[in-house]
Amino acid sequence: MIAVAATAALSIGSLLVINDVDEPFAGAIRIDATEMANTATDLTEDFTAVYGPGRLPCDERGTRT
């Protein structure tokens, strides 16, 4: 009975975490849109520094090139 309860608790907890992470702008793990934009800019700068600007698979608006 304890094993079933523990498995149920872990499953429910996992579903709650997945639901919270699935909606990044709401919930307990909330971020601002500017934080996500800053992260995207930072990742783009790092990629460009290593591989050069000609290797990006999209333009500055996110359209595939």
Side-chain angles (χ1 to χ4, degrees), residues 24-42:
F25 303 114
I29 307 173
R30 176 180 25 245
I31 63 167
D32 293 330
T34 54
E35 292 173 358
M36 187 173 279
N38 291 341
T39 300
T41 301
D42 191 34

Side-chain angles (χ1 to χ4, degrees), residues 3-39:
V4 171
T7 302
L10 287 173
S11 297
I12 291 170
S14 296
L15 290 174
L16 290 173
V17 168
I18 290 169
N19 186 45
D20 200 41
V21 172
D22 191 42
E23 299 176 7
F25 303 114
I29 307 173
R30 176 180 25 245
I31 63 167
D32 293 330
T34 54
E35 292 173 358
M36 187 173 279
N38 291 341
T39 300

